[in-house]
Amino acid sequence: MEEHPPQQEEAWAKVHRRKGRRPAKDDTIHATPSSVLTPGAPSLTLDQVRQDHDRLAGQWKSSGSYSRLRELLSAHTTGAGSSVTKAICFGLGSFNPPNGEWDWKRRTHIQLAAFLAIVEHLQSKTGQNIRCVFQEPVFNSVDKAFITSLGHEVVESPVGFQLVDPDTLAFAVHLYRNVHSQVIATHIPAIFVGTSYAVWEE
């Protein structure tokens, strides 16, 4: 999966577009270092992954975290959300990691549920479908089959970075700065959900 830094308290912040951006020395989008990782062999069947997701997503939607997310969405997506036609999820993680770690798997399912909840909220506001794309270098065959069974797309790095445009929702939670930099290398997305930039400032 994309590399993850230590988790920090998340906050929403508006990204303001400037009339002119400082020229970059190199806007070339490269594959992230984690993209050379080899996906592990599937340890679960597609049906097992579906069952896990139904259970874990259902539990999360009954939690206070889900309620707070809905409140944040209502407060912060009125303007920016109206232009979103595409949502890209970066570095979600595997639904059946090689080590079988439960907490890791649970986090992946909950982040997927949160991503889809944001998409559903935006679709309810605009009345139009939003294309959902996933870029995760360690997705194995079952992970990919699960995502596509939900009606979404899986792409290889760096295709996801190249798809970002001003009408994109970019979702990159708990990923390192180099991943965030590639997400916004060519365009500032309409909405960016990720680690606060303050985490990287010294």
Side-chain angles (χ1 to χ4, degrees), residues 6 10 18 24 30 34 36 39 73 96 101-102 115 139 144 159-160 166 176 183:
E10 297 297 325
R18 299 175 182 173
H30 305 279
S34 59
V36 300
L73 290 171
N96 51 144
E101 185 178 345
W102 175 251
F115 172 74
F139 268 172
K144 292 177 180 179
V159 175
Y176 279 116
V183 171

Side-chain angles (χ1 to χ4, degrees), residues 92-161:
L92 183 64
S94 175
F95 299 101
N96 51 144
N99 59 7
E101 185 178 345
W102 175 251
D103 286 343
W104 196 276
K105 180 166 59 174
R106 177 178 177 275
R107 182 166 61 243
T108 297
H109 281 287
I110 290 176
Q111 286 186 186
L112 172 60
F115 172 74
L116 295 179
I118 296 171
V119 171
E120 290 169 4
H121 173 84
L122 296 176
Q123 289 181 152
S124 71
K125 295 296 183 182
T126 63
Q128 62 181 8
N129 289 329
I130 294 175
R131 174 189 177 191
C132 292
V133 179
F134 292 76
Q135 177 179 295
E136 173 50 88
V138 300
F139 268 172
N140 58 42
S141 58
V142 172
D143 295 325
K144 292 177 180 179
F146 174 59
I147 293 297
T148 56
S149 75
L150 298 176
H152 308 312
E153 302 172 46
V154 177
V155 299
E156 301 300 326
S157 179
V159 175
F161 300 128

Side-chain angles (χ1 to χ4, degrees), residues 7 20 24 31 33 40 45 47 52 59 66 69-70 75 99 103 106-107 122 133 189 191 194 199-200:
Q7 295 189 9
T45 66
D47 284 342
D52 283 345
Q59 292 172 356
Y66 177 62
L69 174 61
R70 290 178 61 86
N99 59 7
D103 286 343
R106 177 178 177 275
R107 182 166 61 243
L122 296 176
V133 179
I191 300 175
V199 173
W200 309 120

